[in-house]
Amino acid sequence: MLQVAFIKENKEDIIKRLAKRNIDATEMINDAITFDEERKALQTSLDNTKAESNALSKEIGNLFKSGDVQKANLLKEKTTQLKETTKNFEQELNDKVEALSELLYKIPNVPNPIVPAGNTDEDNEETFREGDIPKLYDGALPHWELAKKYNIIDFELGNKITGAGFPVYIGKGARLQRALIAYFLDKNTEAGYTEYQVPHLVNEASGFGTGQLPDKEGQMYHVTLDNLYLIPTAEVPATNIFRDTLLNDADLPISITGYTPCFRREAGSYGAHVRGLNRLHQFDKVEILRVEHPDNSYKALDGMVNHVKGILKDLKLPYRILRLCGGDLGFTSALTYDFEVFSTAQDRWLEVSSVSNFETFQANRLKLRFKNNEGKNELCHTLNGSALALPRILAGILENYQTEDGIKIPDVLVPYTGFDIIS
C-alpha cells in the first residue's frame, strides 16, 4: 500500500497518475490525509492524558508520603477520570487507525510515468516483437484437438475428477510438462536465482502482504475451516518469505525462483477464448522474484525482461512484449510488461508471462525494509515475473511445432523429454 507520507508529499501527482487507471482518487487521497491528521491529533491527546495521569500518580505518592491523605484522595478521583478518558482515546485511536488502514488497502499502486493511459488490453503498447510465425500445413489443429489426437491431455477426464479447468496430462504430455518445469528452473538458477520450494497454501496475512487480499479475494480458493488460501501464484508465498524482515544493504539484491501449481477461480470466464489450455483453474508456473534497492529496481526489471526474452528465443516461439496501460495494470503494480506467444492454429496471441515492478507497494504491506548506508530503515522494492507460465507455453509449442507427422519438440527441451516428437 502507499505510505501516508508519500501521499501527503505527492498528493496532486498521485491523483493525476491514478487517473491513468481510470480512477478518480481525489476523495480517497483527501480522506487518507484527513484520517492521518485525525489519528495524529488523537495520539497527541492520548499521550497528553497519559502524561497528566502519570504526573498525578507521582504527586499522589508524594502526598501520601507527606501525610496529606485528604488531598491525595481528591487527586485519585481525578486519575480515575483520566483513566476513563485514556480508555476512550485509545478506542477512538484504534478505530481511526483501522479506518485509515482499510482505506489505504483500497488505493492501488501509482503507475510509473511511462505507463500509457487506456481502458482495456487494446490500449497496451507493443514494445518488442521477435520470431517468425510458422506457416502450418493444411488441416492444422488447435491444441485441444492435438491433445485429443495424440492422447496427451484429457480435458474431459479432468472435468470428471474435479471440474472444468483441471486437465489431466498423459504420457508424453505429462513428460513435456515436467520437462518445461525443469528447463525453466535450470534457466533461472543459471541466471543467479536461488530455487525455493514453497507452500501451496497461505494464510490471510500473506494474502494481504502481496496485495491479493482484499483485491482478488473472489478469485482465490478459500479453505474456510482453516482460513487458508490456495495460492494463485508462487509470488505470494515466495514474497512473504521476507515479511517483517529488516535486511542489510549488503543483502541486496535477493533473487529467487520456484515452481508451484497455481489455483484461480477465474469466475466469469466463458467462451471460445478460454478453450483448452487458454484459461485453467489449476496450472503450473515457474516464478522469478527479486528484492531490490530502490535505486536499482528498474534496472533489475529490464534484466528480468531480457531473461524471459532469452527463454522464449531459445524455445523459438514467436512472441511480443506489451507495456500495460493503466486500465489493464494489476492493483499492486507500478509497471508491467506482458509477454505473449502467437498461437498459430488459433490465430491469436496468448499471454505467457507478466514481469512487474511493485516499487515499495508490497514492501510497505510486508514491512520489508533494509538498513541503508546512513543507518536508516528504508522500504525495499519488490519485483516478480513468470519464467514461465506453462499452459499457454505448452499450447504454443503444440500448435506452432505441429507437422503432418506429429508434434516436434523444441531442441532445448529434447534433453529433458528424452524424445523429439509426439506422434
Side-chain angles (χ1 to χ4, degrees):
M1 58 187 175
L2 300 179
Q3 297 172 272
V4 176
F6 175 72
I7 292 174
K8 288 181 175 180
E9 293 169 7
N10 303 276
K11 174 184 169 181
E12 297 303 326
D13 184 52
I14 289 171
I15 293 171
K16 181 180 177 182
R17 287 160 64 184
L18 284 175
K20 286 188 175 182
R21 291 181 176 271
N22 308 306
I23 295 172
D24 182 357
T26 306
E27 183 177 353
M28 287 194 296
I29 296 301
N30 285 335
D31 285 348
I33 294 171
T34 300
F35 286 1
D36 189 60
E37 292 299 329
E38 292 172 348
R39 177 195 64 79
K40 284 183 176 180
L42 285 167
Q43 185 67 63
T44 299
S45 298
L46 176 61
D47 292 343
N48 291 339
T49 304
K50 284 183 174 180
E52 184 180 356
S53 182
N54 291 335
L56 277 177
S57 295
K58 187 176 182 180
E59 185 179 351
I60 290 167
N62 291 333
L63 288 170
F64 275 121
K65 286 180 183 179
S66 65
D68 194 347
V69 177
Q70 184 177 3
K71 189 174 181 179
N73 286 332
L74 286 173
L75 291 179
K76 281 182 70 177
E77 292 179 12
K78 190 172 183 179
T79 60
T80 300
Q81 294 174 352
L82 287 172
K83 286 180 180 177
E84 185 64 26
T85 302
T86 297
K87 184 179 178 181
N88 291 336
F89 276 139
E90 286 177 339
Q91 183 60 54
E92 288 183 53
L93 180 61
N94 288 337
D95 290 345
K96 189 59 63 178
V97 168
E98 185 175 341
L100 177 59
S101 295
E102 287 180 0
L103 176 59
L104 291 174
Y105 276 133
K106 294 176 183 177
I107 302 174
N109 202 356
V110 178
N112 183 284
I114 69 171
V115 170
N119 298 319
T120 68
D121 56 6
E122 294 181 358
D123 299 313
N124 295 334
E125 291 181 352
E126 183 174 326
T127 62
F128 186 83
R129 185 181 292 210
E130 186 172 50
D132 296 325
I133 296 173
K135 292 183 179 180
L136 301 180
Y137 62 96
D138 290 338
L141 301 171
H143 68 269
W144 54 86
E145 295 292 345
L146 292 168
K148 188 173 184 178
K149 177 179 179 180
Y150 295 108
N151 192 31
I152 52 176
I153 308 171
D154 195 322
F155 295 100
E156 293 178 1
L157 184 57
N159 191 33
K160 171 188 173 182
I161 296 168
T162 307
F166 295 88
V168 174
Y169 299 85
I170 302 168
K172 287 186 176 182
R175 186 66 178 265
L176 179 55
Q177 182 88 342
R178 180 156 53 94
L180 282 164
I181 294 167
Y183 168 67
F184 293 154
L185 286 171
D186 283 352
K187 290 291 289 186
N188 297 344
T189 54
E190 287 168 9
Y193 292 87
T194 300
E195 183 178 351
Y196 278 69
Q197 286 191 3
V198 292
H200 300 162
L201 291 97
V202 294
N203 55 32
E204 200 171 62
S206 293
F208 274 98
T210 46
Q212 275 66 36
L213 298 176
D215 179 53
K216 294 183 175 64
E217 189 166 10
Q219 292 295 329
M220 297 173 72
Y221 285 100
H222 188 195
V223 184
T224 54
L225 185 63
D226 302 293
N227 196 27
L228 297 174
Y229 293 85
L230 275 71
I231 60 171
T233 167
E235 170 201 344
V236 183
T239 309
N240 274 279
I241 291 170
F242 306 102
R243 177 155 45 93
D244 298 321
T245 300
L246 178 60
L247 303 167
N248 293 314
D249 197 353
D251 296 327
L252 301 175
I254 295 172
S255 306
I256 68 176
T257 185
Y259 152 72
T260 65
C262 304
F263 304 89
R264 300 182 186 179
R265 294 184 63 244
E266 299 289 5
S269 296
Y270 307 101
H273 68 290
V274 300
R275 287 195 67 179
L277 297 171
N278 290 347
R279 188 70 58 87
L280 300 177
H281 294 304
Q282 177 181 331
F283 60 94
D284 292 321
K285 183 153 69 82
V286 176
E287 201 80 358
I288 52 175
L289 180 147
R290 295 178 72 94
V291 180
E292 287 282 350
H293 190 288
D295 293 344
N296 192 55
S297 69
Y298 278 95
K299 181 179 178 181
L301 181 67
D302 290 341
M304 294 170 74
V305 168
N306 287 330
H307 176 67
V308 176
K309 284 168 66 174
I311 295 176
L312 290 170
K313 188 173 183 178
D314 287 348
L315 289 172
K316 297 180 180 177
L317 289 170
Y319 71 95
R320 67 179 183 177
I321 303 175
L322 304 174
R323 182 187 292 124
L324 297 194
C325 70
D328 204 29
L329 195 64
F331 183 85
T332 56
S333 176
L335 179 63
T336 294
Y337 291 98
D338 269 8
F339 285 75
E340 295 182 338
V341 163
F342 192 74
S343 170
T344 308
Q346 297 181 74
D347 192 29
R348 60 189 293 254
W349 293 94
L350 303 174
E351 180 196 332
V352 295
S353 175
S354 287
V355 182
S356 303
N357 188 346
F358 306 108
E359 297 185 357
T360 61
F361 193 84
Q362 288 182 332
N364 192 30
R365 289 175 172 233
L366 294 160
K367 294 182 175 60
L368 168 54
R369 300 159 296 160
F370 71 100
K371 195 172 289 293
N372 63 25
N373 289 330
E374 298 174 356
K376 296 180 180 179
N377 295 344
E378 187 176 347
L379 289 173
C380 301
H381 280 198
T382 60
L383 306 90
N384 87 277
S386 308
L388 288 155
L390 271 75
R392 295 169 187 165
I393 282 287
L394 185 57
I397 290 173
L398 296 180
E399 294 187 8
N400 288 315
Y401 276 84
Q402 64 177 302
T403 69
E404 292 180 278
D405 298 322
I407 303 165
K408 293 182 178 178
I409 301 300
D411 292 341
V412 293
L413 295 179
V414 172
Y416 293 87
T417 59
F419 55 86
D420 60 7
I421 193 168
I422 297 172
S423 61

Coordinates of all heavy atoms in Angstrom, one line a residue, residues 190-257:
E190 N 20.6 -20.8 -13.4 CA 21.8 -20.5 -14.2 C 22.0 -19.0 -14.2 O 23.1 -18.5 -14.3 CB 21.8 -21.1 -15.6 CG 22.0 -22.6 -15.6 CD 21.7 -23.1 -17.0 OE1 21.4 -22.3 -17.9 OE2 21.6 -24.4 -17.1
A191 N 20.9 -18.2 -14.2 CA 20.9 -16.8 -14.2 C 21.1 -16.2 -12.8 O 21.1 -14.9 -12.7 CB 19.7 -16.2 -14.8
G192 N 21.3 -17.0 -11.8 CA 21.6 -16.5 -10.5 C 20.4 -16.5 -9.5 O 20.6 -16.0 -8.4
Y193 N 19.3 -17.0 -9.9 CA 18.2 -17.1 -9.0 C 18.3 -18.4 -8.1 O 18.6 -19.5 -8.6 CB 16.8 -17.2 -9.8 CG 16.5 -15.9 -10.5 CD1 17.0 -15.6 -11.8 CD2 15.7 -14.9 -9.9 CE1 16.7 -14.5 -12.4 CE2 15.4 -13.7 -10.5 CZ 15.9 -13.5 -11.8 OH 15.6 -12.3 -12.5
T194 N 18.1 -18.2 -6.8 CA 18.1 -19.4 -5.9 C 16.8 -20.1 -5.9 O 15.7 -19.4 -5.7 CB 18.5 -18.9 -4.5 OG1 19.8 -18.3 -4.5 CG2 18.5 -20.1 -3.5
E195 N 16.7 -21.4 -6.1 CA 15.5 -22.1 -6.1 C 14.9 -22.3 -4.7 O 15.6 -22.7 -3.8 CB 15.7 -23.4 -6.8 CG 14.3 -24.2 -7.0 CD 14.5 -25.5 -7.7 OE1 15.6 -25.8 -8.3 OE2 13.5 -26.3 -7.7
Y196 N 13.6 -22.1 -4.6 CA 12.9 -22.3 -3.3 C 11.7 -23.2 -3.6 O 11.1 -23.1 -4.7 CB 12.3 -21.1 -2.7 CG 13.3 -20.2 -1.9 CD1 14.4 -19.6 -2.5 CD2 13.1 -20.1 -0.5 CE1 15.3 -18.8 -1.8 CE2 14.0 -19.3 0.2 CZ 15.1 -18.7 -0.4 OH 15.9 -17.9 0.3
Q197 N 11.4 -24.1 -2.7 CA 10.1 -24.8 -2.7 C 9.3 -24.3 -1.6 O 9.7 -24.3 -0.5 CB 10.3 -26.4 -2.6 CG 10.9 -27.0 -3.8 CD 10.8 -28.6 -3.7 OE1 10.3 -29.1 -2.7 NE2 11.4 -29.2 -4.7
V198 N 8.1 -23.8 -2.0 CA 7.3 -23.0 -1.0 C 5.9 -23.7 -0.8 O 5.5 -24.5 -1.7 CB 7.1 -21.6 -1.5 CG1 8.4 -20.8 -1.4 CG2 6.5 -21.5 -2.9
P199 N 5.2 -23.4 0.3 CA 3.9 -24.0 0.5 C 2.9 -23.5 -0.6 O 3.0 -22.5 -1.2 CB 3.4 -23.4 1.8 CG 4.7 -23.0 2.5 CD 5.6 -22.6 1.4
H200 N 1.9 -24.4 -0.9 CA 0.9 -24.1 -1.9 C -0.4 -23.5 -1.3 O -1.3 -23.2 -2.0 CB 0.5 -25.4 -2.6 CG 1.7 -26.0 -3.3 ND1 1.7 -27.3 -3.8 CD2 2.9 -25.5 -3.6 CE1 2.9 -27.5 -4.3 NE2 3.6 -26.4 -4.3
L201 N -0.4 -23.3 0.0 CA -1.5 -22.6 0.7 C -0.8 -21.5 1.6 O 0.3 -21.7 2.1 CB -2.3 -23.6 1.6 CG -3.2 -24.6 0.9 CD1 -2.5 -25.9 0.9 CD2 -4.5 -24.7 1.7
V202 N -1.6 -20.4 1.7 CA -1.0 -19.3 2.5 C -2.1 -18.8 3.5 O -3.3 -19.0 3.3 CB -0.5 -18.1 1.7 CG1 0.7 -18.6 0.8 CG2 -1.7 -17.6 0.8
N203 N -1.7 -18.1 4.5 CA -2.6 -17.6 5.5 C -3.1 -16.2 5.0 O -2.6 -15.7 4.0 CB -2.0 -17.5 6.9 CG -0.7 -16.8 7.0 OD1 -0.5 -15.9 6.2 ND2 0.2 -17.2 7.9
E204 N -4.0 -15.6 5.7 CA -4.6 -14.3 5.4 C -3.5 -13.2 5.3 O -3.5 -12.4 4.4 CB -5.7 -14.0 6.3 CG -6.7 -12.9 5.8 CD -7.9 -12.8 6.8 OE1 -7.7 -12.4 7.9 OE2 -9.0 -13.1 6.3
A205 N -2.6 -13.2 6.3 CA -1.6 -12.2 6.4 C -0.7 -12.2 5.1 O -0.3 -11.2 4.6 CB -0.7 -12.4 7.6
S206 N -0.4 -13.4 4.6 CA 0.4 -13.5 3.3 C -0.4 -12.9 2.1 O 0.2 -12.3 1.3 CB 0.8 -15.0 3.1 OG 1.7 -15.4 4.0
G207 N -1.7 -13.2 2.1 CA -2.5 -12.6 1.0 C -2.6 -11.1 1.1 O -2.5 -10.5 0.0
F208 N -2.6 -10.5 2.3 CA -2.6 -9.1 2.4 C -1.2 -8.5 2.1 O -1.1 -7.5 1.5 CB -3.0 -8.7 3.8 CG -4.5 -8.5 4.0 CD1 -5.2 -9.6 4.6 CD2 -5.2 -7.4 3.6 CE1 -6.6 -9.4 4.7 CE2 -6.5 -7.3 3.8 CZ -7.3 -8.3 4.3
G209 N -0.2 -9.3 2.4 CA 1.2 -8.8 2.2 C 1.5 -8.6 0.8 O 2.3 -7.6 0.5
T210 N 1.0 -9.4 -0.1 CA 1.4 -9.2 -1.6 C 0.2 -8.5 -2.3 O 0.4 -8.3 -3.5 CB 1.7 -10.5 -2.2 OG1 0.8 -11.5 -1.8 CG2 3.1 -11.0 -1.8
G211 N -0.9 -8.2 -1.7 CA -2.0 -7.5 -2.3 C -3.0 -8.3 -3.0 O -3.9 -7.7 -3.7
Q212 N -3.0 -9.6 -2.8 CA -4.1 -10.4 -3.3 C -5.4 -10.2 -2.5 O -6.5 -10.3 -3.1 CB -3.8 -11.9 -3.3 CG -3.0 -12.4 -4.5 CD -1.6 -11.8 -4.6 OE1 -1.0 -11.6 -3.5 NE2 -1.1 -11.6 -5.8
L213 N -5.2 -9.9 -1.2 CA -6.3 -9.5 -0.4 C -6.2 -8.1 0.0 O -5.1 -7.6 0.2 CB -6.3 -10.4 0.9 CG -6.5 -11.9 0.7 CD1 -6.4 -12.6 2.1 CD2 -7.8 -12.2 0.1
P214 N -7.3 -7.3 0.0 CA -8.7 -7.8 -0.3 C -9.0 -7.7 -1.8 O -10.2 -7.9 -2.2 CB -9.5 -6.8 0.5 CG -8.7 -5.5 0.4 CD -7.3 -5.9 0.5
D215 N -8.1 -7.3 -2.7 CA -8.4 -7.0 -4.1 C -8.9 -8.2 -4.9 O -9.8 -8.1 -5.6 CB -7.1 -6.5 -4.8 CG -7.4 -6.1 -6.3 OD1 -8.3 -5.4 -6.6 OD2 -6.6 -6.6 -7.1
K216 N -8.3 -9.4 -4.7 CA -8.6 -10.6 -5.5 C -9.2 -11.7 -4.7 O -9.1 -12.9 -5.1 CB -7.4 -11.1 -6.3 CG -6.9 -10.1 -7.3 CD -5.7 -10.7 -8.1 CE -5.2 -9.7 -9.2 NZ -4.7 -8.4 -8.7
E217 N -9.9 -11.4 -3.6 CA -10.4 -12.4 -2.8 C -11.4 -13.3 -3.5 O -11.4 -14.6 -3.3 CB -11.1 -11.8 -1.6 CG -11.6 -12.7 -0.5 CD -12.0 -12.0 0.8 OE1 -12.1 -10.8 0.7 OE2 -12.1 -12.7 1.8
G218 N -12.2 -12.8 -4.4 CA -13.1 -13.6 -5.1 C -12.5 -14.5 -6.1 O -13.2 -15.5 -6.6
Q219 N -11.3 -14.3 -6.5 CA -10.6 -15.2 -7.5 C -9.8 -16.3 -6.8 O -9.2 -17.1 -7.5 CB -9.7 -14.3 -8.3 CG -10.4 -13.4 -9.3 CD -11.2 -14.1 -10.3 OE1 -10.9 -15.2 -10.7 NE2 -12.3 -13.5 -10.7
M220 N -9.7 -16.3 -5.5 CA -8.9 -17.3 -4.8 C -9.7 -18.4 -4.2 O -10.8 -18.1 -3.7 CB -8.0 -16.6 -3.7 CG -7.0 -15.6 -4.2 SD -6.2 -14.6 -2.9 CE -5.2 -15.9 -2.2
Y221 N -9.2 -19.6 -4.2 CA -9.9 -20.7 -3.5 C -9.6 -20.6 -2.0 O -8.4 -20.5 -1.6 CB -9.4 -22.0 -4.0 CG -10.0 -22.4 -5.4 CD1 -9.2 -22.2 -6.5 CD2 -11.2 -22.9 -5.6 CE1 -9.7 -22.5 -7.8 CE2 -11.7 -23.2 -6.8 CZ -10.9 -23.0 -7.9 OH -11.4 -23.3 -9.2
H222 N -10.7 -20.6 -1.2 CA -10.5 -20.3 0.2 C -10.9 -21.6 1.0 O -12.0 -22.2 0.9 CB -11.5 -19.2 0.6 CG -11.3 -18.7 2.0 ND1 -12.3 -18.0 2.7 CD2 -10.3 -18.9 2.9 CE1 -11.9 -17.7 3.9 NE2 -10.7 -18.3 4.1
V223 N -9.9 -22.1 1.8 CA -10.2 -23.2 2.7 C -10.7 -22.7 4.0 O -10.0 -22.3 4.9 CB -8.9 -24.0 2.9 CG1 -9.1 -25.3 3.8 CG2 -8.2 -24.4 1.6
T224 N -12.0 -22.6 4.1 CA -12.7 -21.8 5.1 C -12.4 -22.4 6.5 O -12.3 -21.6 7.5 CB -14.2 -21.7 4.9 OG1 -14.7 -23.1 4.7 CG2 -14.5 -20.9 3.6
L225 N -12.4 -23.7 6.7 CA -12.2 -24.3 8.0 C -10.9 -23.8 8.7 O -10.9 -23.6 9.9 CB -12.3 -25.8 7.9 CG -12.2 -26.6 9.2 CD1 -13.5 -26.2 10.1 CD2 -12.2 -28.1 9.0
D226 N -9.8 -23.7 7.8 CA -8.5 -23.3 8.4 C -8.2 -21.9 8.0 O -7.1 -21.4 8.4 CB -7.4 -24.3 7.8 CG -7.7 -25.7 8.1 OD1 -7.7 -26.1 9.3 OD2 -8.0 -26.5 7.2
N227 N -9.1 -21.2 7.3 CA -8.8 -19.8 6.9 C -7.5 -19.7 6.1 O -6.7 -18.8 6.4 CB -8.9 -18.8 8.0 CG -9.0 -17.4 7.6 OD1 -9.6 -17.2 6.5 ND2 -8.5 -16.5 8.3
L228 N -7.3 -20.6 5.2 CA -6.1 -20.6 4.3 C -6.6 -20.5 2.9 O -7.7 -20.8 2.5 CB -5.3 -21.9 4.5 CG -4.7 -22.2 5.8 CD1 -4.1 -23.6 5.9 CD2 -3.7 -21.1 6.2
Y229 N -5.7 -20.0 2.0 CA -6.0 -19.8 0.6 C -5.0 -20.6 -0.3 O -3.8 -20.6 0.0 CB -5.8 -18.3 0.3 CG -6.9 -17.4 0.9 CD1 -6.7 -16.9 2.2 CD2 -8.0 -17.0 0.3 CE1 -7.6 -16.1 2.9 CE2 -9.0 -16.2 0.9 CZ -8.8 -15.8 2.2 OH -9.7 -15.0 2.8
L230 N -5.6 -21.2 -1.3 CA -4.7 -21.9 -2.3 C -4.0 -20.7 -3.1 O -4.7 -19.8 -3.5 CB -5.5 -22.8 -3.2 CG -5.7 -24.2 -2.7 CD1 -6.7 -24.2 -1.6 CD2 -6.3 -25.1 -3.9
I231 N -2.8 -20.9 -3.4 CA -2.0 -19.8 -4.0 C -2.4 -19.6 -5.5 O -2.6 -20.5 -6.2 CB -0.5 -20.0 -3.9 CG1 -0.1 -21.3 -4.6 CG2 -0.1 -20.0 -2.4 CD1 1.4 -21.4 -4.7
P232 N -2.6 -18.3 -5.9 CA -2.9 -18.0 -7.3 C -1.6 -17.9 -8.1 O -1.6 -17.9 -9.3 CB -3.5 -16.7 -7.2 CG -3.0 -16.0 -6.0 CD -2.7 -17.1 -5.0
T233 N -0.4 -17.8 -7.4 CA 0.9 -17.7 -8.0 C 1.9 -17.9 -6.9 O 1.7 -17.6 -5.7 CB 1.1 -16.4 -8.7 OG1 2.5 -16.2 -9.0 CG2 0.6 -15.2 -7.8
A234 N 3.1 -18.4 -7.3 CA 4.2 -18.6 -6.3 C 4.7 -17.2 -5.8 O 5.4 -17.2 -4.7 CB 5.4 -19.3 -7.0
E235 N 4.3 -16.2 -6.4 CA 4.7 -14.8 -5.9 C 4.3 -14.6 -4.5 O 5.0 -14.0 -3.7 CB 4.0 -13.8 -6.8 CG 4.1 -12.3 -6.2 CD 3.0 -11.4 -6.8 OE1 2.4 -11.8 -7.9 OE2 2.8 -10.4 -6.3
V236 N 3.1 -15.2 -4.1 CA 2.5 -14.9 -2.8 C 3.4 -15.6 -1.7 O 3.9 -14.8 -0.8 CB 1.1 -15.4 -2.7 CG1 0.5 -15.0 -1.3 CG2 0.2 -14.7 -3.8
P237 N 3.6 -16.9 -1.7 CA 4.4 -17.4 -0.6 C 5.9 -17.0 -0.7 O 6.6 -16.8 0.3 CB 4.3 -19.0 -0.8 CG 3.9 -19.1 -2.2 CD 3.1 -17.9 -2.5
A238 N 6.4 -16.9 -1.9 CA 7.8 -16.5 -2.1 C 8.1 -15.1 -1.6 O 9.1 -14.9 -0.9 CB 8.2 -16.6 -3.6
T239 N 7.3 -14.2 -1.9 CA 7.5 -12.8 -1.4 C 7.3 -12.7 0.1 O 8.0 -12.0 0.8 CB 6.5 -11.8 -2.1 OG1 6.6 -12.0 -3.5 CG2 6.9 -10.4 -1.7
N240 N 6.4 -13.5 0.7 CA 6.1 -13.5 2.1 C 7.2 -14.1 2.9 O 7.2 -14.1 4.2 CB 4.8 -14.1 2.4 CG 3.7 -13.1 2.3 OD1 3.4 -12.3 3.2 ND2 3.0 -13.1 1.2
I241 N 8.2 -14.8 2.3 CA 9.4 -15.2 3.0 C 10.0 -14.0 3.7 O 10.6 -14.2 4.8 CB 10.4 -15.8 2.0 CG1 9.9 -17.1 1.4 CG2 11.8 -16.0 2.6 CD1 10.7 -17.7 0.3
F242 N 9.9 -12.8 3.1 CA 10.6 -11.6 3.6 C 9.6 -10.7 4.4 O 10.0 -9.6 4.7 CB 11.2 -10.9 2.4 CG 12.1 -11.8 1.6 CD1 11.7 -12.3 0.4 CD2 13.4 -12.1 2.1 CE1 12.5 -13.1 -0.4 CE2 14.2 -12.9 1.3 CZ 13.7 -13.4 0.1
R243 N 8.4 -11.2 4.7 CA 7.5 -10.4 5.6 C 8.1 -10.1 6.9 O 8.7 -11.0 7.5 CB 6.2 -11.1 5.7 CG 5.2 -10.3 6.5 CD 3.7 -10.7 6.2 NE 3.5 -12.1 5.9 CZ 3.1 -13.0 6.8 NH1 2.9 -12.6 8.1 NH2 2.8 -14.2 6.5
D244 N 8.0 -8.9 7.4 CA 8.5 -8.5 8.8 C 10.0 -8.7 8.8 O 10.5 -9.3 9.8 CB 7.8 -9.3 9.9 CG 6.3 -8.9 9.9 OD1 6.0 -7.8 9.7 OD2 5.5 -9.9 10.1
T245 N 10.8 -8.4 7.8 CA 12.2 -8.6 7.7 C 12.9 -7.3 7.6 O 12.5 -6.4 6.8 CB 12.5 -9.5 6.5 OG1 11.9 -10.8 6.7 CG2 14.0 -9.7 6.4
L246 N 14.0 -7.1 8.3 CA 14.9 -6.0 8.2 C 16.2 -6.5 7.6 O 17.0 -7.3 8.3 CB 15.2 -5.3 9.5 CG 16.1 -4.1 9.5 CD1 15.6 -3.0 8.5 CD2 16.4 -3.6 10.9
L247 N 16.6 -6.2 6.4 CA 17.8 -6.6 5.7 C 18.9 -5.5 5.8 O 18.6 -4.4 6.2 CB 17.5 -6.8 4.2 CG 16.4 -7.8 3.9 CD1 16.0 -7.7 2.4 CD2 16.8 -9.3 4.2
N248 N 20.1 -5.9 5.5 CA 21.2 -5.0 5.4 C 21.3 -4.6 3.9 O 21.0 -5.4 3.0 CB 22.5 -5.6 6.0 CG 22.4 -5.8 7.5 OD1 22.0 -5.0 8.2 ND2 22.8 -7.0 7.9
D249 N 21.9 -3.5 3.7 CA 22.1 -3.0 2.3 C 22.9 -4.1 1.6 O 22.7 -4.3 0.4 CB 22.9 -1.7 2.4 CG 22.8 -1.0 1.0 OD1 22.3 -1.5 0.1 OD2 23.3 0.2 1.0
A250 N 23.9 -4.7 2.2 CA 24.7 -5.7 1.6 C 24.0 -7.0 1.2 O 24.4 -7.8 0.4 CB 25.9 -6.1 2.5
D251 N 22.8 -7.2 1.8 CA 22.0 -8.4 1.4 C 21.3 -8.3 0.0 O 20.9 -9.3 -0.5 CB 20.9 -8.6 2.5 CG 21.4 -8.9 3.8 OD1 22.5 -9.5 3.9 OD2 20.7 -8.5 4.8
L252 N 21.2 -7.1 -0.5 CA 20.5 -6.8 -1.7 C 21.5 -6.9 -2.9 O 22.6 -6.5 -2.8 CB 19.8 -5.4 -1.7 CG 18.8 -5.2 -0.6 CD1 18.3 -3.8 -0.5 CD2 17.7 -6.2 -0.7
P253 N 21.0 -7.4 -4.1 CA 19.7 -7.8 -4.3 C 19.5 -9.3 -3.9 O 20.5 -10.0 -3.8 CB 19.6 -7.7 -5.8 CG 21.0 -8.0 -6.3 CD 21.9 -7.4 -5.3
I254 N 18.2 -9.7 -3.7 CA 17.9 -11.1 -3.5 C 17.1 -11.6 -4.7 O 16.1 -10.9 -5.1 CB 17.0 -11.2 -2.2 CG1 17.9 -10.8 -1.0 CG2 16.5 -12.6 -2.0 CD1 17.1 -10.7 0.3
S255 N 17.5 -12.7 -5.2 CA 16.9 -13.3 -6.4 C 16.5 -14.7 -6.2 O 17.3 -15.5 -5.9 CB 17.8 -13.2 -7.6 OG 18.3 -11.9 -7.8
I256 N 15.2 -15.0 -6.3 CA 14.8 -16.4 -6.1 C 13.8 -16.9 -7.2 O 13.2 -16.1 -7.9 CB 14.1 -16.6 -4.7 CG1 12.7 -15.8 -4.6 CG2 15.0 -16.1 -3.6 CD1 12.0 -16.1 -3.3
T257 N 13.7 -18.2 -7.3 CA 12.8 -18.8 -8.3 C 12.2 -20.0 -7.7 O 12.7 -20.6 -6.7 CB 13.6 -19.2 -9.6 OG1 12.6 -19.7 -10.5 CG2 14.6 -20.3 -9.3

